Amino acid sequence: MTDLPKKANAVIIGGGVIGCSIAYHLAKLGWSDVVLLERQQLTSGTTWHAAGLVGQLRASFNLTKLAKYTSDLYLGLEEETGQATGYRQCGSITIATNNERFEELKRGASMAKVFDLEVNVISVDEIVERFPLIYSDDLLGGIHMPSDGYANAIDITQALAKGARNNGAQIFQNTLVTQILHDGSKVTGVSTPNGDIDAKYVVICGGMWSRDLAASVGVNVPLHACEHYYALFESVEGLDPSLPVMRDYDACTYFKYDAGKLLVGAFEPSAKPWGMDGIAEDFCFDEIAGDFDHFEPILQGAMHRIPALENAGIQKFFCGPESFTPDVRYHIGQAPNLANCYISAGMNSIGLQSAGGIGKVMSEWMRDGYPPVDLWEVDVRRAMPFQGNRKYLRERVSESLGLLYATHWPYRQYASSRGVRKSAVHDRLVAVGACHGEAFGWERPNWYAPEGVEPKYEYSYGRQNWFEYSAAEHMAVREGVGLFDQSSFAKFRLEGRDAMRVLNQVCANDIDQRPGRLVYTQWLNDRGGIEADLTVTRLDASTFLIVTAAETEVRDFYWLKQHIPDDAHCVLTNVTSSMGVLSIMGPRSRELLQSVTPADMSHAAFPFGSSKEIELGYAIVRASRITFVGELGWELYVPTEFMLGVYDEIVAAGESYGLVHAGYHALNSLRIEKGYRHWSHDISDEDTPLEAGLGFAVKFDKADGFIGRDALLAQKKTGVGKRLLQFKLHDPNTLLYHNEPIWRDDKLVGHITSGAYGHSLGSCIGLGYVHLQKSEDPADMINGSYTIEVAGDLCATNASLRPMYDPDNRRIRC
């Protein structure tokens, strides 16, 4: 074999379609010394048995852009490389057999307008016209995507590999990476039986082997293989090569023309995990035994949908492994704890239709050191440490595989791997009717069922069964007092003589305040984009408490850690588990808390933005006067071992004040009424504080500046191109969730980033960015006629730059 090079700029581990796409795109960027190492042969892991679907509509703007890029890339790849790809844009049809599924599809078709993707709602007759083999009596309609199609996964991979080689990349097959080399802080290369390669970058694209390979260097990549099935039918009467891809989500199936045969594949609701005891390194172009009885119900449904299958023969029954992730979203990006180690794995059976876009953004991420667009939903930094647990993964992926085709209900909760992380008062909350949801492993009370009502979701695209109960919680916080368990907050301590200096460089706001002051701030990148949205409390001269969202615990911890200079005298510690959080919110919160503590809770003694240690029950509790609901209130930070006692004390006293337990659904509706932003929905690393209406939290005149200051000053000078607005629908019965198109004077100008029913305002409220017209003053943005498109219908709405609820903040500062 050819000798391996001793050095490389980048080493890519894995020769499936993802690894070859990254090699192709790095080489296209002009990177020299790109080396791809494949343990067996190209495509031999899972790529070779991919069904080959190339769909484009995704759940977000940026992921749809990447899917569209993939389709465009594949269209020209054969001409560029001379390698056949088998790519055909035959279109796709997705059908609906019930009203709720049709609602989902129509909402998706509206959302596609935001993404500039053609998706047409079609009638049953139009479905039959395009796919005559179908049984249609039970159909309501569907959607048609003309630019979807399919390709041959092996041919696409070989074309990408050829294109990579043509631009200088080297590819070595039958070369096993036995070790990733590093110096404790960054990667330095790889070891193979044929020698070591020194490298500046290492990219793990090892498919279902990626979890163990990454874990060997302390990097968390949660994924697990599952059995994945399809069958090839031959002699199907009426089969035509021009047929579009057909998806019957309600029957968990898809249908695709395949070289004179009809391929029937599935994403069944309860999948079978595979490879629990490890996966052999010599696994190569292998099938696994499979379970025909497991797949048989799918085949029965397929024969119902395509009656011609009853008289056709099964030419091939196939079962092969595919890797799935806990949330059915792939893992890409730089590992948070090992510099220059990049991950691209866990494709959830959509690797082929994702590969082009992933190769593009990964190569640009490596070149620039940051993602080219907001990719948080697939960023490997979202993975929690516990999610690498094998038991957790085995149970979760048995559910997550089926979620690809399950109805994507609003507020849908996972059923598997539950009870992983619990607040100290979890059982107390269950006893008073809490219906817990799962978020980042935490069991969190989303709503409370009254006595005699089972705390269980009944899903719908309309008002769900908890709507009125959550409305009562919402109004109790507005008019009286509510208790939220927010123990899932991520909490860090930064302490040392340089702690203030380090934090003030990272924070856009000024945190050089006296001890006992709490500051709301953003952490920005060099482009002015918002990397984190959180609070910082100065505990004493050299100690700070940082509180952020549960979702971003890993991301935010390592963002700060990476910005602590080597010579700085300070230590960062994750103290999330050491304390719970009870939030007491509402106009009667002061009365209630004053009844259980000797501390003076008056406005004069305890103004907004202050934080103190107070006595409560037998505990010493940190009380911080802050709010995410737009009312007077305090967050109580309680040492974990004191949580039960403090909770019991508050609840007992609360009877006299009408205390109501409130959940996260009420928290969300309250914050949206007040226009409070939620990171990862309303603000991201692509949005600046000036665009998001958060300029009040930026202190440009800090002596030593802050990360992102120059970018914000430049934007301040040139003006912003978009602004976040708040919307209120005229029709009180229509519901907003996210990604609904925003129209202004019949022109598409943006989309909803988050929405919820505003019970105090009497209609659904949404937040969303609107692009300014040329030379338009942001103050004039509310002029014009605004509508929001929901499932194809245009709904009249009011727009506002200021919060529609208590715009002058009088209620939180009383």
Side-chain angles (χ1 to χ4, degrees), residues 30 119 158 182 221 232 277 312 395 418 466 492 495 718 806 813:
V119 179
Q158 294 293 351
H182 63 95
V221 184
L232 278 170
D277 300 321
E395 294 177 7
R418 293 295 298 266
W466 49 265
F492 317 137
E495 46 199 323
T718 60
D806 187 28
R813 298 181 182 275

Side-chain angles (χ1 to χ4, degrees), residues 336-356:
N337 56 331
L338 190 62
N340 292 352
C341 179
Y342 282 79
I343 310 297
S344 191
M347 295 297 119
N348 301 288
S349 201
I350 57 170
L352 180 69
Q353 54 192 300
S354 305

Side-chain angles (χ1 to χ4, degrees), residues 219-256:
V219 172
N220 184 34
V221 184
L223 55 81
H224 199 294
C226 284
E227 296 179 0
H228 187 49
Y229 294 86
Y230 59 74
L232 278 170
F233 283 81
E234 58 184 357
S235 304
V236 180
E237 186 177 350
L239 188 62
D240 189 308
S242 65
L243 287 175
V245 172
M246 172 68 67
R247 296 180 178 89
D248 183 356
Y249 287 156
D250 296 319
C252 311
T253 52
Y254 60 87
F255 305 88
K256 185 200 86 166

Side-chain angles (χ1 to χ4, degrees), residues 312-393:
I314 296 181
Q315 190 261 345
K316 175 73 173 176
F317 169 66
F318 177 83
C319 181
E322 294 270 6
S323 61
F324 289 82
T325 63
D327 56 6
V328 214
R329 290 179 277 153
Y330 35 78
H331 297 305
I332 65 173
Q334 180 166 293
N337 56 331
L338 190 62
N340 292 352
C341 179
Y342 282 79
I343 310 297
S344 191
M347 295 297 119
N348 301 288
S349 201
I350 57 170
L352 180 69
Q353 54 192 300
S354 305
I358 287 176
K360 181 179 189 297
V361 296
M362 285 288 290
S363 62
E364 293 171 359
W365 200 331
M366 294 169 68
R367 177 194 64 191
D368 301 332
Y370 55 85
V373 292
D374 172 27
L375 293 168
W376 171 242
E377 62 193 299
V378 292
D379 193 319
V380 71
R381 291 176 292 174
R382 78 186 187 282
M384 299 293 167
F386 78 88
Q387 290 181 306
N389 177 285
R390 288 178 173 84
K391 179 181 179 182
Y392 169 86
L393 285 170

Side-chain angles (χ1 to χ4, degrees), residues 241 296 478 612:
E296 189 173 16
R478 287 280 182 250
K612 300 178 182 180

Side-chain angles (χ1 to χ4, degrees), residues 72 133 210 264 347 417 439 477 501 520 583 650 656 667 670 741:
D72 292 342
L133 296 179
S210 296
V264 179
M347 295 297 119
S417 298
V477 174
R501 175 175 62 84
Y520 169 62
S583 293
I650 292 171
S656 301
L667 186 77
L670 289 159

Side-chain angles (χ1 to χ4, degrees), residues 81-147:
T81 65
Q83 166 69 49
T85 62
Y87 185 46
R88 291 190 69 246
Q89 278 191 315
C90 59
S92 74
I93 292 174
T94 305
I95 59 175
T97 62
N98 58 72
N99 288 321
E100 296 287 5
R101 178 68 77 179
F102 205 15
E103 171 87 359
E104 178 185 359
L105 296 182
K106 287 187 287 187
R107 282 178 175 266
S110 288
M111 181 176 68
K113 296 175 183 177
V114 175
F115 308 154
D116 192 27
L117 177 66
E118 183 181 357
V119 179
N120 302 306
V121 178
I122 58 176
S123 67
V124 175
D125 288 344
E126 291 172 301
I127 293 171
V128 174
E129 181 183 352
R130 289 177 169 87
F131 203 100
L133 296 179
I134 197 167
Y135 172 75
S136 62
D137 286 1
D138 57 351
L139 300 186
L140 299 180
I143 57 173
H144 177 235
M145 288 171 271
S147 58

